Amino acid sequence: MAGYFIDFAIASALIVVLTALMGNISNTIGERLFGRNKSGKHVEASRRIQQGWKVVGGKNNAPKQAHR
């Protein structure tokens, strides 16, 4: 009887993990196949819109430098 519960727990865990990963896998495949050169489109649009905005809040308002 204990073997049944162990098998049930393993099967349940595999089903949950595979279900959780299917969305990520299909999203990645879709981005690679259909995204092509559009990957930075929204980032650039957001950066263009926010250009010239005042920085508010906190003592350290300076924009962070990218590590090189």
Side-chain angles (χ1 to χ4, degrees), residues 22-37:
M22 278 190 327
N24 293 335
I25 292 169
S26 62
N27 185 33
T28 302
I29 291 171
E31 285 179 351
R32 303 275 189 224
L33 290 178
F34 305 113
R36 293 193 184 142
N37 57 358

Side-chain angles (χ1 to χ4, degrees), residues 45-68:
S46 178
R47 198 173 286 146
R48 223 177 20 252
I49 290 170
Q50 294 177 9
Q51 192 173 20
W53 286 11
K54 292 182 182 178
V55 180
V56 295
K59 292 182 180 180
N60 300 325
N61 292 353
K64 294 183 180 179
Q65 297 282 331
H67 295 289
R68 294 180 186 199

Side-chain angles (χ1 to χ4, degrees), residues 7 10 17 29 39-40 42 49 61-62:
D7 288 345
I10 292 171
V17 168
I29 291 171
S39 60
H42 298 293
I49 290 170
N61 292 353

